[in-house]
Amino acid sequence: VDYSYLYIIMSGYRTLHRHRDIEDKICPIWSITFVENVVYATNAGKVNAYQILPKTLQAGNHDGADILDARGLNFRKCSTLIPFESRKSISSSLMLCKIEAVSLERSDDNYCKNLVCAVAMDGTVVVWEHEFCPADYGATESVEASNKYAKFIFHCPGVCGTSLALRSYNHGEYHAAVGCRNGSIQIRAITCSLSEKLPAPGTLVETIDVAGSVSSTSCIMSLAWSHCGIYLAVGRKDGFVDVYKRECESLSGKYSNYFFKLLHRIVASRSIIRGLEFTADSQLLMTGDDNGRINVYEIQRKQAVKTGWYNGHNSWILCLVSHPDSRRFITAGADMKVNVWDVSSRDCVHTFDGSHSDMIWGVACNNEGSFLASCGDDGKIVFYSSDVR
């Protein structure tokens, strides 16, 4: 183990591992996400998939060692997701900015299939079905990462590539929300089923136009679905935050028809809203702006009510994610810090400082809430423990 990349902090929060792919040219990693024990991170025109493996368990060592200790973490690449078969063509033509992923299938024999969706700066949306068997990448085996090519690719005119939100509804029916330069939102079908009742991949299911009077700088900078799938929050360049409620009506012989109703318009800031997230119970909405300020709103009322605010960072807040326990949330930004916050006390309960040497663009949390991961302009992925007992 190279201990120069491993750090242990004496608390329930620990920096576990730093990673940079030596075979890749150092370039910014702008987005990262978890699906169970798999991490997906953008890298220019491709997506790298990594698996988290606790060494102490994979190696058959069941002596009670803490698997959250840095020496018990193994992090290795299992796949590279590529839009086209020619690597050269993608590197120069696509710059993937945002990524989202959900689990499609997981069988008893450890077979996994995940849906991975990424949007580029030019509005190109790339979708993969990532199939693999985690057992093939055990800690004691040396298995070369495989290349996976996109299932389908489509272009969304007017989309700026700064925002993407993926949500599943019925079996095989997935929707991707992408933000546009003119302030509207496109809802695109991401269909994995061959059912005739579902729209074809890339179909424009709904366009949410800018409602009411907003400034010309209302370009979409962030999007977030609530975990219940009912609400869609939109963060704008002019500091406005819109919250839409998703309605549905069933059409005979066709797929369901969806439409969105504006529920709240919030003047959250006078600067750009890049961080946006609901708590896991969908009760609260949190926003982070370029002034380093965090606001928390209760949105399931007739009018949105601000329940708290935080002076979170010394510079831009570039990403914000809710912890699965709904009691904490995590922010990161241009000041190169990752902060963990307590919702009720409004306190910063922990700060990870020094893990990155440049701006942090992405942060993610696994489903159990035991791991955090961050990525940034320094081309590194950093892992942390957030399991506080």
Side-chain angles (χ1 to χ4, degrees):
V1 177
D2 180 4
Y3 285 96
S4 65
Y5 282 85
L6 301 176
Y7 293 81
I8 299 176
I9 298 177
M10 299 305 295
S11 74
Y13 299 98
R14 307 171 192 162
T15 305
L16 298 179
H17 185 66
R18 288 182 178 181
H19 175 84
R20 178 187 285 154
D21 284 330
I22 58 175
E23 69 270 22
D24 286 331
K25 180 178 69 173
I26 296 176
C27 64
I29 301 176
W30 286 339
S31 187
I32 191 167
T33 189
F34 272 94
V35 178
E36 297 182 357
N37 66 330
V38 180
V39 176
Y40 297 96
T42 60
N43 189 298
K46 63 181 183 294
V47 173
N48 289 327
Y50 306 89
Q51 188 182 6
I52 308 168
L53 294 162
K55 286 182 182 176
T56 51
L57 296 184
Q58 291 292 331
N61 181 4
H62 302 282
D63 58 2
D66 182 4
I67 64 170
L68 295 179
D69 187 280
R71 291 165 295 180
L73 180 70
N74 193 359
F75 177 69
R76 68 174 51 185
K77 185 190 292 187
C78 57
S79 301
T80 300
L81 310 185
I82 303 172
F84 312 110
E85 292 192 19
S86 171
R87 278 180 174 267
K88 291 183 179 180
S89 66
I90 60 149
S91 299
S92 58
S93 62
L94 283 184
M95 185 62 71
L96 300 176
C97 299
K98 290 290 183 180
I99 185 171
E100 291 274 320
V102 296
S103 176
L104 291 178
E105 183 180 342
R106 189 178 183 93
S107 62
D108 294 336
D109 60 357
N110 223 13
Y111 165 82
C112 297
K113 181 192 289 188
N114 297 330
L115 177 69
V116 184
C117 182
V119 62
M121 292 182 70
D122 66 354
T124 299
V125 176
V126 188
V127 180
W128 296 267
E129 282 188 6
H130 180 217
E131 302 178 63
F132 72 104
C133 183
D136 293 341
Y137 300 91
T140 59
E141 300 180 34
S142 178
V143 179
E144 184 178 353
S146 58
N147 291 337
K148 307 289 184 180
Y149 300 108
K151 186 175 179 64
F152 49 85
I153 302 173
F154 55 89
H155 184 71
C156 303
V159 167
C160 51
T162 56
S163 55
L164 170 70
L166 184 65
R167 182 58 56 197
S168 62
Y169 292 104
N170 303 318
H171 180 68
E173 185 176 8
Y174 300 85
H175 286 171
V178 287
C180 300
R181 295 180 182 87
N182 66 0
S184 65
I185 305 103
Q186 296 182 20
I187 309 296
R188 295 279 179 168
I190 308 294
T191 308
C192 299
S193 171
L194 298 178
S195 172
E196 295 180 356
K197 294 184 178 181
L198 298 179
T203 299
L204 182 61
V205 177
E206 178 78 10
T207 298
I208 307 174
D209 292 321
V210 182
S213 176
V214 294
S215 71
S216 59
T217 56
S218 62
C219 173
I220 307 297
M221 301 302 294
S222 53
L223 290 167
W225 286 107
S226 64
H227 293 261
C228 66
I230 297 175
Y231 304 104
L232 176 64
V234 181
R236 301 183 182 278
K237 188 176 180 180
D238 56 12
F240 280 79
V241 173
D242 290 337
V243 180
Y244 294 89
K245 186 176 181 181
R246 177 181 177 271
E247 305 284 354
C248 172
E249 61 181 2
S250 180
L251 301 180
S252 177
K254 295 184 179 180
Y255 55 88
S256 297
N257 183 39
Y258 301 101
F259 60 96
F260 292 81
K261 178 176 66 177
L262 180 64
L263 196 64
H264 302 297
R265 167 153 291 163
I266 304 168
V267 184
S269 175
R270 294 183 179 180
S271 61
I272 300 173
I273 304 294
R274 302 180 197 266
L276 195 65
E277 180 70 295
F278 289 90
T279 52
D281 59 10
S282 302
Q283 296 294 317
L284 301 175
L285 175 66
M286 298 159 295
T287 69
D289 64 26
D290 275 10
N291 291 328
R293 186 182 176 97
I294 303 161
N295 292 319
V296 180
Y297 300 91
E298 187 175 337
I299 54 95
Q300 294 190 19
R301 294 191 181 188
K302 188 174 182 179
Q303 292 184 338
V305 177
K306 184 188 290 189
T307 62
W309 61 271
Y310 313 74
N311 286 319
H313 291 263
N314 297 325
S315 188
W316 302 349
I317 296 176
L318 299 175
C319 47
L320 190 157
V321 65
S322 175
H323 195 275
D325 63 12
S326 293
R327 296 183 291 106
R328 292 174 286 170
F329 64 93
I330 302 94
T331 59
D335 60 1
M336 300 176 286
K337 295 179 181 179
V338 177
N339 290 338
V340 183
W341 301 89
D342 184 277
V343 174
S344 58
S345 69
R346 305 183 191 178
D347 292 330
C348 179
V349 296
H350 193 82
T351 296
F352 296 101
D353 193 4
S355 298
H356 287 275
S357 58
D358 211 329
M359 293 193 297
I360 302 173
W361 284 97
V363 66
C365 184
N366 69 337
N367 293 340
E368 293 77 22
S370 55
F371 288 113
L372 302 177
S374 62
C375 62
D377 275 348
D378 58 4
K380 294 177 184 176
I381 298 173
V382 183
F383 265 88
Y384 318 89
S385 164
S386 62
D387 191 13
V388 181
R389 302 172 184 177

